[in-house]
Amino acid sequence: MKRRVGLATLLSACAIGAVTTAWAAPPPMDSKALEARFDAQIDPAEMGTWLKLLAAEPNHVGSVHDKTNAEWIAAQLKSWGWDAKIETFSVLYPTPISEALELVGGPGAPFKATLQEPPVPGDQPTYTKDALPAYVAFQGDGDVTAPLVYANYGMPEDYLALERMGVSVKGKIVITRYGGGWRGLKPLLAQMHGAAGALIYSDPKDDGYATDDVYPKGAARPAHGFQRGSVADMPIYPGDPLTPGVGATKDAKRIDRKDAPVILKIPCLPISYGDAQVLLASLNGPVAPANFRGSLPITYHVGGGEGSGKAHLAVQSDWSQKTLYDVVGTLKGSEAPNDWIVRGNHHDGWVMGASDPLSGQIALLAEAKAFGALMKTGWKPKRTIVYTSWDGEEPGLLGSTEWAETHGDELKAKGVVYINTDGNGRGFFRAEGSHAFQHFVNQVSADVKDPETGVSVRDRARARLAVGLSEGGGGGRGEGQSPQMKAAANDPSKDIPLGALGSGSDYSAFLQHLGVPSIDFGYGGEGESGGVYHSLYDDYQHHSTFVDPGFAYDATLAKTVGRAVMRLADTDLPVQRYGDFADTVATYLDEVKKLADTTRDTARTQARLLGANAYQLAADPTKPHANPAPFAASPTTDFAALDGAVGKLKASAAAFDAALSAKGEGLNKAQRARLDAVIRPLDQTMLRPEGLPGRPWYMNMVYAPGRFTGYGAKTLPGVREAIEERRFDDAQKYVGLTSQALVAYAGELDRATAILNGG
C-alpha cells in the first residue's frame, strides 16, 4: 500500500548487547562469518525469477492468482525447512459490478471516461482480463448527476481556499488530484463538506510527463493510467470494517455494513489524467489559485459558474465476504521459543503489483531461503522467528490486522518486535519505527554495503542527508530540519534518527493496537515506481527496467532485514537503548508546545484581521470572496504533567542504559530471563484503553497515524490532534493520559534497572 520514496529518517535505538558468538552449529562460527554465509545465499537473479512468477497475473484480494501465490509461498517455506501454514479470514471486500463516468453538460459534453487501462506498446502483460477497472475500495455506491468542482489535492486547506472564493461543493461532484495527503482523505473530506460524489486523478505534474518520459519510454504514468486504492477511513481503524478489534474468523460477530464508520457514503472513482483533462476543461468559475494548477495544457478553473461542467457518476459493488490467505512460517527458537521475532510483507496487489508489494516479498523469500540453508548447517535461532506473508493489505491492512487481533493475547505475551517491509526500489536506505531501536538499526545499516557506491548504506544515507540540508532541504523528508538530523548529517559518531511510524502498511496493528515494537525498512529515491503506482503497469518489466534493474536493492533489502532478524533472534541482551526513545519523546513534547503557541497566535491574529475588516479590504472586488470562519479562542494548555513525565522517563532511561552497559554481560541465565520478562512487554505501557479521541482502536499514546493526514505519523497524537482541531478540553485530557503512560513506561524501566543492579 505504502508508496516509499526518499531517504530516510533512519534508525532505531540500540544495540547494547552484542550478538552472541556461541552457536548451535559445529564448528563454532562468529556473527560476522554467519552473516557472510547468509549474504552468500541471496541471489538477485533468483529473486527476479520469483518476481516474474508472482507478478504474472492480477493478484488483488479474491483473484485466482492471489490464492495461487499464497499457496506457492507456503510451499517454498516448507521446502526450505520452515513450519509453514496458511491461515484464512473472511472479510468484507467490495469488488466492482459496474461503474460509469460521463460528462453530460458544459464544454466538451457529451464525453464518456475510459475506466480501463489499455496495454501500451512494448509492455503488454499476458493477463489483463482479470484486472480491476478504475475502482477504489470502500467508497459508497451511488448514482449521481451533479456539477463538477475542482478542489486541488482535496485537503483541508484547499476547502478553506474554495470557501474564500465563494465556491461551495455541497451537492457537487468534487475532482481532486492525487498527492498532498492520503487518498482516502480526498473523498472523506468531500463527503464531510456535503459533496455528492468524488473523483481522483493523477496530474502529470506529480507523476506524469512533467516528471519523466511516460511508460514504456520512461517511468512516468501514461495518459490513461490511473491509481486504484482503498478509501476506507483507516485512521478510525484498519482491518475488516465489520469486525473492529476482533479477528475476522468465519464465526466472528459482525456489525452491519451500514454501521461501519470506515466505509464512505458517497461514490468515488479514480480516473486518468487523459480523462481528467476533458472534465477540468469543462469548468468555468474562478481561475484556480497558483497552487491548484497542475501540468495539463488547460487553464485550471475551480467551477461553480453558470454553464460549467456537469457529470454523471455511478458505482455499484459486490459487497460479499472474501477469503484472505495469510502465510505464516515458523522457525522455533532453541532457547527462548516463547520470544517471537515477527517479520512481514504483503503479497496482494492492486493488479500485477511488481514494485508494490512484491519487490519486498521477494526479499522476504530470499531471507527465508537463506535461513533455511543456515538451519541445514546446524544453526538454530535462540528466539522463535515468525515469517508472515499477508493478504489484503491494499484494501485496508486486512490480513495483518485480522491475524494480529486473532492472536493478540499471544503476541502481547511473546512478541519482541515486528519488522515490516513493503515496496522497494533503487536508492537510499530508510527506516522508521520504535525509537528505542535507533542505535540497533544504525548498527545494522553500517554493516550492509550499498551496491552502487560500495560504502555502507548508512554512510550513503548520511551523505544524502548532509547534501539535502546544505541545499536547504532535508534529504527528501520534512523532518530533516530537526536538530537531531542536523547533528547526524555531518557527524559520523551520531546515529541517524529513526523516523516515527504512521500508517499505510502492516505494522499498524502490532505497534498501535497491541504495543509490539515495530520497524519498517526499505530503499528508494532513485528507482521510480510512482508513475505506475497501483496501476496495470506496475509489472515485472517496469520494475526490472526503471525501479531496480538487476534486483540489486531488493537483494540489499534482504541482507539488511536478514541481519536485523538474526541479531534480534540471537542476542542474549536487549538491543534497545531507551535514552534515544526518551530524547525523541522530549523533542515531540517541544513540538507540541510550539504547536499550542502557534494555534493560539493564529486565532488572535485572525480575530484582529476580522475585526479590522482586513480580509474584505484585501480581496479583489471583481471576484467572489468571503471571510474565513472565525477560529475559536485558544486557551492555554497546561503541560506540567507531561514535563514531569518526560523528565522521569529521561532519568529512568539513562539509568537503565548505563546499568545494561556496565552489568548486562555479567547477568546469569535466570537474571536474563527476568530482564527479558520486563523488557518484552514494555511498550504495552504506552497503550491506554481509552484510545485516541473518536478512534479507540488506536491505543498508543506516542505513535499513531494522523486523523486527517492519512499515512503521516502523529507523535503524542492525542494531545497534538486535539490542539490542531481546537478541541482544547481533549488536549488537556490527553496531556494527563499520555503522562500516565510515560510514567508507567519509566516505572517498568526502573524495574529492569533493579534487575541489572542485582535486585
Side-chain angles (χ1 to χ4, degrees):
M1 172 179 290
K2 184 177 295 181
R3 174 178 173 184
R4 291 295 199 177
V5 291
L7 133 80
T9 334
L10 284 75
L11 309 33
S12 148
C14 254
I16 305 182
V19 178
T20 71
T21 58
W23 307 99
M29 183 181 300
D30 66 24
S31 60
K32 288 189 179 299
L34 188 72
E35 290 173 3
R37 182 177 288 186
F38 178 91
D39 287 353
Q41 300 294 322
I42 307 298
D43 182 353
E46 182 177 46
M47 295 171 69
T49 300
W50 293 338
L51 185 67
K52 183 176 285 189
L53 174 70
L54 294 168
E57 301 178 50
N59 51 39
H60 55 274
V61 171
S63 67
V64 172
H65 195 56
D66 181 51
K67 180 182 179 184
T68 299
N69 278 353
E71 292 171 341
W72 182 85
I73 292 166
Q76 296 305 301
L77 290 174
K78 289 178 182 177
S79 73
W80 299 330
W82 292 71
D83 179 8
K85 61 183 178 180
I86 292 178
E87 293 191 42
T88 61
F89 297 95
S90 180
V91 298
L92 180 70
Y93 173 61
T95 50
I97 295 174
S98 63
E99 57 283 320
L101 175 62
E102 302 166 283
L103 184 67
V104 297
F111 169 77
K112 188 173 184 178
T114 305
L115 301 177
Q116 296 281 352
E117 291 172 302
V120 296
D123 181 70
Q124 298 184 10
T126 305
Y127 299 91
T128 58
K129 63 182 176 64
D130 293 328
L132 290 171
Y135 190 70
V136 288
F138 300 113
Q139 53 84 48
D141 287 357
D143 189 325
V144 297
T145 300
L148 294 162
V149 171
Y150 173 55
N152 194 26
Y153 291 118
M155 295 294 105
E157 60 270 20
D158 298 320
Y159 285 98
L160 291 175
L162 288 176
E163 180 184 342
R164 294 285 304 280
M165 287 184 274
V167 176
S168 171
V169 303
K170 189 173 183 179
K172 311 294 198 316
I173 296 173
V174 175
I175 306 175
T176 60
R177 54 176 167 153
Y178 276 110
W182 177 56
R183 174 194 319 106
L185 290 176
K186 300 170 188 293
L188 174 65
L189 288 167
Q191 175 181 296
M192 293 172 68
H193 284 83
L199 303 169
I200 318 173
Y201 81 100
S202 298
D203 196 281
K205 181 177 183 178
D206 299 308
D207 63 12
Y209 55 72
T211 66
D212 195 359
D213 291 316
V214 301
Y215 191 60
K217 182 179 180 181
R221 193 178 301 275
H224 289 287
F226 47 78
Q227 182 189 140
R228 299 160 184 81
S230 175
V231 294
D233 194 2
M234 284 187 289
I236 295 179
Y237 60 84
D240 176 31
L242 306 186
T243 59
V246 299
T249 56
K250 205 166 190 177
D251 300 323
K253 184 177 180 180
R254 288 170 166 79
I255 63 175
D256 193 280
R257 175 160 61 94
K258 66 178 174 55
D259 297 324
V262 301
I263 300 175
L264 299 192
K265 307 301 183 185
I266 64 173
C268 178
L269 284 179
I271 61 175
S272 67
Y273 63 78
D275 287 343
Q277 180 173 331
V278 178
L279 301 181
L280 291 170
S282 76
L283 301 182
N284 57 28
V287 172
N291 66 327
F292 276 46
R293 301 169 198 166
S295 294
L296 291 170
I298 59 173
T299 300
Y300 286 72
H301 290 259
V302 297
E306 189 69 28
S308 192
K310 178 185 287 189
H312 170 234
L313 168 64
V315 185
Q316 183 181 4
S317 305
D318 169 11
W319 289 90
S320 61
Q321 298 288 119
K322 308 295 192 303
T323 301
L324 298 180
Y325 301 92
D326 285 347
V327 184
V328 181
T330 304
L331 294 179
K332 189 173 182 180
S334 60
E335 295 184 14
N338 290 328
D339 284 4
W340 290 3
I341 311 299
V342 186
R343 188 270 192 262
N345 197 98
H346 69 102
H347 61 75
D348 69 296
W350 279 110
V351 193
M352 308 303 190
S355 291
D356 178 19
L358 296 175
S359 57
Q361 180 64 51
I362 60 174
L364 181 149
L365 289 169
E367 299 156 31
K369 184 177 181 182
F371 281 131
L374 293 182
M375 291 278 285
K376 291 177 182 177
T377 69
W379 170 80
K380 290 183 179 179
K382 293 182 178 180
R383 293 181 176 84
T384 294
I385 299 174
V386 182
Y387 264 44
T388 55
S389 179
W390 308 117
D391 200 359
E393 189 269 3
E394 294 293 359
L397 317 183
L398 302 180
S400 57
T401 300
E402 300 316 314
W403 189 83
E405 289 175 342
T406 299
H407 300 281
D409 290 342
E410 192 171 22
L411 284 164
K412 284 184 174 183
K414 299 177 180 179
V416 175
V417 67
Y418 172 71
I419 296 179
N420 190 68
T421 59
D422 206 316
N424 192 59
R426 182 173 67 90
F428 300 90
F429 173 70
R430 58 140 201 93
E432 292 122 358
S434 301
H435 292 102
F437 289 85
Q438 181 168 293
H439 186 62
F440 172 73
V441 176
N442 271 267
Q443 289 188 321
V444 168
S445 60
D447 291 336
V448 178
K449 182 181 292 188
D450 177 74
E452 291 182 320
T453 64
V455 302
S456 75
V457 298
R458 184 183 68 174
D459 288 348
R460 190 168 188 228
R462 192 189 303 277
R464 189 189 188 206
L465 177 61
V467 170
L469 289 172
S470 74
E471 295 176 349
R477 306 186 65 91
E479 67 269 39
Q481 294 291 348
S482 71
Q484 293 81 1
M485 280 289 183
K486 291 177 180 178
N490 296 302
D491 185 350
S493 70
K494 302 287 186 182
D495 285 338
I496 303 175
L498 190 68
L501 286 171
S503 186
S505 199
D506 288 306
Y507 46 76
S508 277
F510 295 91
L511 177 65
Q512 294 149 356
H513 187 64
L514 298 179
V516 176
S518 300
I519 312 170
D520 188 75
F521 287 98
Y523 289 85
E526 293 178 334
E528 181 50 60
S529 62
V532 299
Y533 180 63
H534 289 187
S535 79
L536 174 69
Y537 314 116
D538 180 9
D539 58 16
Y540 173 85
Q541 181 170 318
H542 188 281
H543 185 83
S544 61
T545 303
F546 295 109
V547 184
D548 188 19
F551 310 100
Y553 280 90
D554 296 337
T556 303
L557 179 62
K559 294 175 183 179
T560 307
V561 177
R563 269 176 175 71
V565 170
M566 198 181 319
R567 293 181 185 185
L568 288 163
D570 282 323
T571 185
D572 287 328
L573 293 171
V575 301
Q576 294 93 313
R577 195 163 66 188
Y578 290 101
D580 292 336
F581 171 68
D583 289 345
T584 306
V585 172
T587 300
Y588 295 153
L589 177 55
D590 288 342
E591 293 171 356
V592 169
K593 289 179 177 179
K594 290 176 183 176
L595 173 66
D597 291 341
T598 300
T599 301
R600 190 163 48 255
D601 291 344
T602 300
R604 289 171 178 166
T605 299
Q606 187 205 50
R608 177 175 56 79
L609 294 174
L610 285 170
N613 202 30
Y615 293 103
Q616 193 77 12
L617 295 174
D620 184 338
T622 68
K623 297 178 181 179
H625 59 273
N627 282 343
F631 292 134
S634 305
T636 300
T637 301
D638 183 358
F639 290 103
L642 262 177
D643 285 329
V646 170
K648 168 63 178 167
L649 175 65
K650 292 181 78 168
S652 297
F656 174 86
D657 290 347
L660 181 63
S661 178
K663 301 181 179 180
E665 292 294 341
L667 296 182
N668 60 38
K669 188 173 182 178
Q671 289 170 319
R672 292 187 183 196
R674 288 176 58 210
L675 181 63
D676 178 72
V678 174
I679 292 299
R680 189 173 356 98
L682 177 59
D683 280 29
Q684 293 171 37
T685 60
M686 287 190 286
L687 306 180
R688 304 300 296 176
E690 300 90 343
L692 299 180
R695 44 191 187 134
W697 188 91
Y698 289 97
M699 298 181 183
N700 197 311
M701 295 293 104
V702 176
Y703 308 111
R707 178 67 181 94
F708 293 108
T709 57
Y711 293 159
K714 286 289 184 182
T715 51
L716 306 182
V719 183
R720 189 185 297 261
E721 287 194 333
I723 292 172
E724 289 174 339
E725 297 168 23
R726 300 177 183 274
R727 295 181 285 102
F728 298 107
D729 288 345
D730 273 345
Q732 199 63 64
K733 172 184 174 181
Y734 277 85
V735 165
L737 291 175
T738 305
S739 300
Q740 292 170 19
L742 294 177
V743 169
Y745 192 102
E748 291 302 292
L749 278 179
D750 291 343
R751 285 182 60 209
T753 303
I755 294 169
L756 287 164
N757 289 328

